[in-house]
Amino acid sequence: MQLTDKTALITGAAGGIGRAIAERYAREGARVAVADLDLAAAEATVAEIRANGGRAMALAMDVTDEAVVDAGVERIVAEWDGLDIAIANAGIQHIAPLHSLTFADWRKVLAVHLDGAFLVTSAALRQMYRQEHGGCLIYMGSVHSKLASPLKAPYVAAKHGLLGLCRTVAKEGAKHRVRANMICPGFVRTPLVERQIPEQAAALGISEEAVIRDVMLKDTVDGEFTTLEDIAELALHLAAFPSAALTGQSVVASHGWYMQ
Ligand code: NAD
């Protein structure tokens, strides 16, 4: 097992990519805090992890609420005596062309991705800097951290912004033995993606099949979705990597959609 007795906070871990990482980390021996807006779903994820012999706790957490994020990290430290890995994963999408995007929707998407990642970073670093062995931050970026698509301005802007945050944490954190890296998935079939298939079809005036084939997977090398297992594997690799040779990096897993 690669994460024996490590403690991990994963935001947005009640479902989708965050849940897959939580389950994988628990199988590798980590104690996992499953933090999400949706406490009932987070508790269901924790129940599943425990049923499989893992260790986990559910945390009700809106990542845009500073006091709640701080309290969540304090609880992890109180119960598990430290925080080794923090993954800023919670995210939302909003499909609209720029000329009709409201300021409120722009701010909402940026708040969850950027404010949320900042608050998780800040709370995690305060703890990790106190620990002799430091820690590891992982940001859930996207291929949209590297390139743009129409109809997703706030998401693209937020995911590009996360790259800057990740690189800054890598620079500031190094002397405290803190590493920071980012995962940039291509399309993974989670609720976040399932919701946008009909939305994009309506916005672009094409069928849902065409959205998948001609928009989402058009530039992959093989027309395949990236899977939850692919991203969980990468998250494990980044967390378990033994040295600061791997810090400040953004690793793209997208079936060749974006090649850097
Ligand atoms: P998802 O919708 O399946 O899961 C997102 C989770 O975040 C949900 O459980 C939701 O309740 C939670 N959440 C939303 N707002 C929150 C908040 N304010 N505080 C705490 N939790 C909150 O989505 P997903 O596809 O698993 O996405 C996870 C991350 O991966 C996101 O950052 C997303 O941008 C990123 N990502 C997804 C894909 C993809 O194709 N699915 C691709 C690239 C990047």
Side-chain angles (χ1 to χ4, degrees):
M1 291 202 283
Q2 298 183 56
L3 298 177
T4 304
D5 292 336
K6 298 284 185 198
T7 57
L9 163 64
I10 307 173
T11 67
I17 289 173
R19 177 178 176 143
I21 298 172
E23 291 172 349
R24 185 68 199 274
Y25 276 20
R27 286 203 301 278
E28 294 291 333
R31 292 166 290 181
V32 186
V34 175
D36 206 285
L37 263 186
D38 185 342
L39 179 60
E43 282 170 341
T45 299
V46 165
E48 180 76 21
I49 288 172
R50 288 183 180 156
N52 290 317
R55 292 172 294 173
M57 74 163 92
L59 293 175
M61 183 183 287
D62 177 349
V63 294
T64 66
D65 186 327
E66 183 175 13
V68 170
V69 173
D70 287 352
V73 170
E74 279 163 23
R75 189 168 151 209
I76 294 167
V77 173
E79 292 202 16
W80 291 339
D81 203 26
L83 178 65
D84 301 305
I85 304 157
I87 307 186
N89 168 77
I92 57 172
Q93 180 58 279
H94 185 83
I95 302 294
L98 269 164
H99 67 275
S100 64
L101 178 69
T102 65
F103 188 34
D105 286 331
W106 166 267
R107 290 176 82 157
K108 191 171 163 194
V109 176
L110 261 67
V112 175
H113 291 276
L114 282 180
D115 296 353
F118 164 71
L119 292 174
V120 168
T121 300
S122 164
L125 287 184
R126 273 179 270 133
Q127 172 58 30
M128 290 174 182
Y129 286 2
R130 281 197 287 265
Q131 303 170 169
E132 210 174 302
H133 62 283
C136 165
L137 270 289
I138 297 176
Y139 298 91
M140 197 52 65
S142 165
V143 164
H144 287 111
S145 302
K146 309 283 182 175
L147 51 75
S149 293
L151 310 176
K152 297 183 175 177
Y155 187 85
V156 170
K159 291 302 194 190
H160 276 68
L162 282 177
L163 198 51
L165 176 63
C166 173
R167 289 170 171 163
T168 307
V169 173
K171 294 219 167 194
E172 289 189 12
K175 62 178 174 292
H176 303 280
R177 300 170 70 89
V178 170
R179 295 183 300 116
N181 290 292
M182 172 180 270
I183 298 172
C184 297
F187 282 101
V188 182
R189 289 200 86 151
T190 65
L192 181 136
V193 163
E194 296 296 345
R195 273 191 298 274
Q196 63 181 278
I197 294 171
E199 288 171 12
Q200 288 218 49
L204 298 170
I206 58 177
S207 70
E208 294 188 14
E209 294 69 33
V211 168
I212 293 172
R213 187 186 60 240
D214 303 332
V215 179
M216 292 181 164
L217 304 179
K218 176 171 152 288
D219 293 321
T220 61
V221 294
D222 54 8
E224 296 282 342
F225 278 98
T226 300
T227 66
L228 293 171
E229 293 71 27
D230 294 327
I231 302 307
E233 180 67 30
L234 195 46
L236 174 62
H237 177 67
L238 291 175
F241 198 82
S243 82
L246 195 54
T247 194
Q249 302 307 305
S250 48
V251 184
V252 181
S254 68
H255 284 257
W257 168 18
Y258 182 81
M259 299 186 189
Q260 49 188 351

